[in-house]
Amino acid sequence: METGSREDAQPREAEPVWTALPPGLLRMRRLLLVVWLGILALGLGLLLGLTAGPPWAAFALLPLALLVWGWVLTGRNWRSWRYAERADDLLISRGVMWRKVTVVPYGRMQLVEVTSGPVERHFGLASVQLHTAAAATDATIPGLDPAEAERLRDRLTELGEARSAGL
C-alpha cells in the first residue's frame, strides 16, 4: 500500500494571474456619479425651495447622502473586477456581494470588439467585449487602457483562431 498523495497523480493547474482594472475607470464612474447626483440635488433643492418653501429644500440632501453611499459602493465594485488569461480560457471575475466568474474558452470566441464611447475616450479608456455562440457567455472587460484593450483583442483573436482551427 502506497502512502503517496493523490495530488501526485494529477498535476494541479497554477493559480491564475489576475489583472485589476486601471484606476481611470473608478475616476470616470465617480465623476459621473457626482455630476448626475449633484445636478439632481441642485434641481431638487431649487424646485422645493421655490415651490414649497426653504424648509422643504432640505430634502435635496437626500441625493447628497446617496452620493456618499454611491462613492463607497463604486470603489468596492471597481476593486472586484479583474481578469486572467490562462492557457485555454479567459477568466473574468466581478461582484461584491454576488461574485460572478465567467470562463470564456478561447476556441468558443467568435468576435472580440474594442469599444470606446465619448466619455470613455475623454478618460483614455476602452472596453473589450467578447462574443461567443451562446449569448449567455458574452463577456465584457470595461475601463482598460486603449493599448491594453487592443493587445488583449489581438491576443484573444489569435488564440481563438488557433483553438477553433480543429473544429
Side-chain angles (χ1 to χ4, degrees):
M1 181 177 219
E2 287 187 31
T3 59
S5 70
R6 293 175 58 81
E7 291 180 16
D8 294 336
Q10 293 180 353
R12 294 182 67 197
E13 190 171 320
E15 193 66 28
V17 178
W18 292 99
T19 304
L21 298 183
L25 179 65
L26 179 62
R27 283 191 298 273
M28 179 188 78
R29 288 182 174 173
R30 283 183 169 168
L31 178 67
L32 290 173
L33 182 73
V34 167
V35 167
W36 288 113
L37 288 177
I39 289 171
L40 179 65
L42 183 64
L44 186 63
L46 285 173
L47 180 69
L48 289 174
L50 293 174
T51 59
W56 287 95
F59 278 104
L61 295 176
L62 291 176
L64 296 179
L66 189 61
L67 175 82
V68 172
W69 184 61
W71 188 276
V72 172
L73 288 183
T74 303
R76 288 184 65 198
N77 180 271
W78 170 76
R79 282 189 298 277
S80 75
W81 277 86
R82 57 192 184 153
Y83 66 96
E85 299 173 61
R86 296 194 307 183
D88 296 320
D89 50 30
L90 177 74
L91 301 175
I92 302 171
S93 176
R94 64 197 172 281
V96 178
M97 290 183 67
W98 289 273
R99 300 282 304 156
K100 183 175 180 181
V101 177
T102 303
V103 180
V104 184
Y106 296 134
R108 301 288 182 176
M109 290 182 199
Q110 292 183 331
L111 175 68
V112 181
E113 281 183 305
V114 174
T115 59
S116 185
V119 176
E120 285 180 311
R121 280 195 307 273
H122 177 76
F123 283 89
L125 301 172
S127 296
V128 173
Q129 185 167 9
L130 311 163
H131 298 278
T132 62
T137 58
D138 286 0
T140 302
I141 304 172
L144 295 174
D145 179 62
E148 170 64 8
E150 290 177 14
R151 183 206 64 83
L152 191 59
R153 178 201 57 208
D154 294 343
R155 175 163 164 69
L156 295 176
T157 302
E158 178 184 311
L159 289 168
E161 289 173 354
R163 298 293 194 286
S164 67
L167 294 177

